[in-house]
Amino acid sequence: MRRLLLRPTLLEFCRTHLIFTAAGALFTVLTGLVTTVFHLSETIMKAAPPDWSNASKTSLGTLPVLLPLLLCLAAYLPAGRLVRLRNGWARPEVPDALVLLLAPAAAFWVLVGLGALIPHGYGLTIAAALLNSPAYGLFTLYMVTTGWGITAPPWAGYVGALVSGLLPPLLYLIGSYLPIRALDEAEENVEI
């Protein structure tokens, strides 16, 4: 039974992930547009204490765009639970959970890594952004706030990419492990 659940679980994650990616990209672009039109970034940056550096003020100006990304990332948690509830599935076993966690993250890491390593690999970077906008947006904001490539050491960017790629599937997986009384009781009765 475990092998039969691996593929549908991963497919359900991919379907949910693509919906959240499209919604996250749309809301991020709309928020960026509203922020630009109404000069919200400049207003937020002017509200910062005068002794802050320009990089810190610029990071503070990106806060409006962070809101849709964080909401999109937070939506993975209930999505994992709702998919499990809707399909009546048991909690994923450890091998299935590892595949569900690492397969999408590895795809993101490969696209971002190849986009950075290959000369003129902008297409791969754009593919990473389009296929995983919540993680890519979080990674981009992390790079801006830490000053990666300017003041931060190179390992900081690698850590940011690792965490950003893992976050969406990890939240989804945690959501699928949240207790659902009816399913958990049925699972216990079957094991006995």
Side-chain angles (χ1 to χ4, degrees):
M1 174 100 176
R2 184 175 63 82
R3 288 291 158 215
L4 296 175
L5 282 179
L6 174 63
R7 187 171 174 202
T9 304
L10 191 57
L11 289 176
E12 282 290 335
F13 170 78
C14 290
R15 188 180 88 163
T16 304
H17 177 68
L18 288 177
I19 291 169
F20 287 162
T21 294
L26 176 67
F27 289 126
T28 301
V29 168
L30 290 176
T31 304
L33 183 64
V34 168
T35 302
T36 303
V37 168
F38 292 108
H39 306 287
L40 295 177
S41 291
E42 291 86 5
T43 305
I44 293 170
M45 287 167 47
K46 287 178 186 175
D51 59 337
W52 280 18
S53 67
N54 285 337
S56 299
K57 289 180 181 180
T58 303
S59 300
L60 192 62
T62 60
L63 281 180
V65 178
L66 186 61
L67 183 63
L69 289 174
L70 291 177
L71 289 174
C72 191
L73 283 170
Y76 279 94
L77 196 63
R81 186 174 191 274
L82 290 174
V83 166
R84 181 174 162 236
L85 179 64
R86 185 187 70 211
N87 293 321
W89 290 339
R91 290 182 175 129
E93 294 182 17
V94 173
D96 298 339
L98 286 174
V99 169
L100 180 61
L101 179 65
L102 294 177
F108 175 73
W109 296 332
V110 166
L111 288 173
V112 169
L114 288 177
L117 294 175
I118 295 175
H120 308 292
Y122 304 116
L124 293 169
T125 305
I126 291 171
L130 291 176
L131 292 175
N132 197 344
S133 68
Y136 191 79
L138 185 66
F139 174 58
T140 303
L141 285 173
Y142 171 80
M143 287 175 38
V144 168
T145 57
T146 60
W148 190 71
I150 300 169
T151 58
W155 63 264
Y158 305 137
V159 169
L162 286 173
V163 171
S164 298
L166 276 175
L167 203 52
L170 180 64
L171 290 172
Y172 186 87
L173 189 62
I174 290 170
S176 68
Y177 274 95
L178 291 176
I180 301 173
R181 183 176 298 206
L183 292 176
D184 295 341
E185 288 174 359
E187 189 177 335
E188 288 174 8
N189 290 338
V190 169
E191 289 177 2
I192 294 176

